[in-house]
Amino acid sequence: VLPVGLYGSRPQCYAGQVWSHVLWSIENAHLNNIGLCGLLADLHKAFNMLPRMVVMEACAILGIPMPILIAWAGALGQMQRRFQIRNSLSPAVWSTCGFPEGDAMSCVAMLVVDILYHEWFHHFLPMTQPISYVDDWQILLCDPAQMTAVANTLDTLVESLDLLLDKKKTHVWAVHTDGRRMLR
């Protein structure tokens, strides 16, 4: 039931499959003279920034049983965070966003956000192919002229979810020279 191209938090899936998927797409584009291009993006501090309310609502829509959601939300509501700055530890503070790394339910939270990412692009730009592995998001398309729409659609999603993209890790690419020239 999960979208094609969603590789994270699934049985028998691993990060290398994202790159294999992209590599086979590039090989096919070269073979068939297709103007394939793509966008790579990485969420900044993904687990720490995930919006709890959005994740819980999406989980309910996806059919996760309410008793599990209530228990999960209750546990998160009791969680306090401390921040280490150099050698000093801050006092405990309450938080309303983020999921603790290393907690199995946090993997569910990230999976739900990845589902939202895939569905967002299937709805707004159905001619694109979103690919994800946890906080590594990629989008393939065959028309470099549409890259601005792709970037704007991604930015709108990220802003809507109150997330941040790591701009240093965000890149666009194209198979053909004309496409690369257009993306510059």
Side-chain angles (χ1 to χ4, degrees):
V1 298
L2 294 175
V4 172
L6 192 157
Y7 292 105
S9 302
R10 300 177 77 154
Q12 301 172 354
C13 288
Y14 48 91
Q17 290 171 313
V18 170
W19 291 104
S20 293
H21 186 135
V22 172
L23 177 62
W24 284 110
S25 297
I26 290 170
E27 291 286 336
N28 183 55
H30 275 295
L31 184 65
N32 294 296
N33 198 29
I34 297 169
L36 185 70
C37 59
L39 182 142
L40 308 136
D42 193 71
L43 292 175
H44 182 70
K45 297 184 179 183
F47 284 93
N48 288 328
M49 301 291 289
L50 295 180
R52 290 183 189 166
M53 185 65 73
V54 171
V55 168
M56 292 299 166
E57 290 290 334
C59 284
I61 290 168
L62 292 170
I64 294 179
M66 196 55 64
I68 292 173
L69 293 179
I70 291 169
W72 187 15
L76 289 170
Q78 297 301 311
M79 185 176 75
Q80 294 181 337
R81 293 182 172 183
R82 296 177 188 275
F83 299 92
Q84 183 173 346
I85 303 170
R86 295 193 183 109
N87 292 326
S88 299
L89 194 60
S90 76
V93 293
W94 299 99
S95 64
T96 58
C97 74
F99 291 82
E101 290 188 48
D103 176 20
M105 291 303 288
S106 295
C107 295
V108 174
M110 191 70 235
L111 176 69
V112 167
V113 170
D114 283 348
I115 291 169
L116 294 175
Y117 159 73
H118 283 262
E119 293 303 320
W120 185 270
F121 273 90
H122 285 299
H123 178 77
F124 289 107
L125 292 173
M127 297 304 288
T128 62
Q129 183 181 22
I131 303 169
S132 66
Y133 187 87
V134 188
D135 61 347
D136 172 17
W137 289 355
Q138 300 196 32
I139 302 152
L140 302 180
L141 61 151
C142 294
D143 182 4
Q146 295 299 310
M147 189 58 75
T148 300
V150 167
N152 290 339
T153 301
L154 180 61
D155 285 342
T156 302
L157 170 64
V158 168
E159 288 170 16
S160 297
L161 293 175
D162 201 20
L163 297 171
L164 294 172
L165 287 181
D166 187 339
K167 294 295 184 178
K168 291 180 183 176
K169 295 180 182 177
T170 302
H171 303 281
V172 295
W173 57 269
V175 170
H176 293 134
T177 307
D178 293 341
R180 288 191 294 273
R181 190 176 303 116
M182 187 181 297
L183 293 177
R184 272 191 219 101

